[in-house]
Amino acid sequence: AYFYRSGELQILQPGLHVIAPPDRFGGFVSTQLQLLDLPKTIHESGDYVRLEIDADVLYAIVDPALALIRVQDLEKLIRKTAISTLAGII
C-alpha cells in the first residue's frame, strides 16, 4: 500500500497501519509475481513468413516507489515492451 504525507510518497510495509487523514491513501501495488496475457499478434520473420504468436509475461515489481513515480500505466508499458521485444527477436 502507499499514501502521500506532505506531498511525499510513502510505501507501507505489510501489517496494520493507521493513516490520518484517510483521504491521502493512494492504493495498493502488488510485489508478488504476476502474469500478463499478451494478445495474439502476427509478425513477419526475416524471410517474410507470417507467424502468429501467443505469449504470456511473468513480472514482479521490485521497487514499488520507483514504479509509482516513473510509470503512469505499468501494465500498458509492460505489454508494449514485451510485444516489441518479441517482434525484434523474430
Side-chain angles (χ1 to χ4, degrees):
Y2 65 95
F3 73 102
Y4 296 92
R5 177 179 291 153
S6 301
E8 184 177 330
L9 178 67
Q10 302 287 318
I11 303 293
L12 299 174
Q13 298 301 318
L16 183 62
H17 300 278
V18 177
I19 302 171
D23 62 337
R24 292 187 176 31
F25 180 72
F28 295 97
V29 174
S30 177
T31 56
Q32 294 180 341
L33 193 63
Q34 297 180 42
L35 177 69
L36 180 64
D37 186 28
L38 296 177
K40 288 185 181 181
T41 56
I42 297 175
H43 296 283
E44 286 188 0
S45 65
D47 54 352
Y48 303 107
V49 175
R50 294 172 54 94
L51 301 171
E52 182 177 0
I53 298 176
D54 186 20
D56 295 327
V57 176
L58 287 171
Y59 70 95
I61 298 173
V62 178
D63 189 354
L66 197 60
L68 288 168
I69 292 171
R70 291 196 176 173
V71 180
Q72 185 173 1
D73 189 358
L74 186 65
E75 188 174 310
K76 183 178 178 182
L77 176 69
I78 293 171
R79 179 175 281 119
K80 287 191 175 225
T81 303
I83 289 172
S84 64
T85 303
L86 283 173
I89 292 171
I90 297 171

